[in-house]
């Protein structure tokens, strides 16, 4: 016999959110490996914050983790594109931070932080994945329900 499915009743109004944007990106791990081998610290400084560089360089396969962060930055950038001025966001304006339980969290700096401050309540969700050859990320920018 199939397990019983428990129905949960929720107020549909409480679930209403406004999606501002969605972004997704895939990055070839080997391409990042070659980029960092060819340009070294200069490439890391262009694409990663100091904290991100320290994290990925402590990993067994830095290119795989760097590729996931590059994908995350591009996904967040795409999710923020509907916001005014978002085209000016740079690579290090977006940072992938490990949350308290290890899940990725978005940190914003510079132009990205300025744009986010202009949109009270903006929330960015981020999911990362990586395999041997590819890293990917998905980001969602949302606003909480309004009380009106």
């Amino acid at each position: 016999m199939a397990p019983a499915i428990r129905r949960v009743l929720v107020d549909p109004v409480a679930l209403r959110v406004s999606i501002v944007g969605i972004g997704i990106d895939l990055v070839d791990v080997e391409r990042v490996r070659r980029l960092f081998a060819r340009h070294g610290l200069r490439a890391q400084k262009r694409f990663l914050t100091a904290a991100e560089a320290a994290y990925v360089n402590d990993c067994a396969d830095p290119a795989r983790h760097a590729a996931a962060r590059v994908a995350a930055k591009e996904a967040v950038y795409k999710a923020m594109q509907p916001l005014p001025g978002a085209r000016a966001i740079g690579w290090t304006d977006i940072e992938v931070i490990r949350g308290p339980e290890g899940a990725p969290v978005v940190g914003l700096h510079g132009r990205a932080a300025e744009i986010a401050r202009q949109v009270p309540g903006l929330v960015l969700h981020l999911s990362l994945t990586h395999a041997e050859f590819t890293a990917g990320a998905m980001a969602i920018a949302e606003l909480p329900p309004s009380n009106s």
Side-chain angles (χ1 to χ4, degrees), residues 9-81:
L9 300 176
V10 294
D11 179 359
V13 174
L15 295 178
R16 203 172 296 150
V17 295
S18 177
I19 300 295
V20 174
I22 298 172
I24 187 168
D25 197 58
L26 294 174
V27 173
D28 180 58
V29 173
E30 194 55 38
R31 186 173 181 194
V32 171
R33 191 180 321 283
R34 287 191 311 266
L35 176 74
F36 285 179
R38 189 176 325 127
H39 299 287
L41 195 55
R42 193 173 101 214
Q44 283 193 10
K45 285 183 177 181
R46 178 169 182 220
F47 291 101
L48 304 174
T49 65
E52 288 172 320
Y55 172 77
V56 302
N57 288 324
D58 279 345
C59 293
D61 185 359
R64 186 179 298 171
H65 294 275
R69 274 142 188 81
V70 170
K73 291 165 185 273
E74 184 67 19
V76 170
Y77 174 81
K78 289 173 182 176
M80 292 182 72
Q81 283 309 291

Side-chain angles (χ1 to χ4, degrees), residues 72-135:
K73 291 165 185 273
E74 184 67 19
V76 170
Y77 174 81
K78 289 173 182 176
M80 292 182 72
Q81 283 309 291
L83 303 174
R87 293 193 105 184
I89 294 172
W91 289 106
T92 56
D93 291 342
I94 301 167
E95 182 176 28
V96 177
I97 301 167
R98 290 181 58 136
E101 309 242 345
V105 177
V106 178
L108 300 177
H109 309 285
R111 185 71 182 133
E114 290 172 24
I115 291 166
R117 279 193 292 274
Q118 295 172 14
V119 185
L122 181 70
V123 177
L124 294 166
H125 302 278
L126 179 63
S127 181
L128 304 179
T129 189
H130 48 73
E132 186 176 352
F133 302 112
T134 308

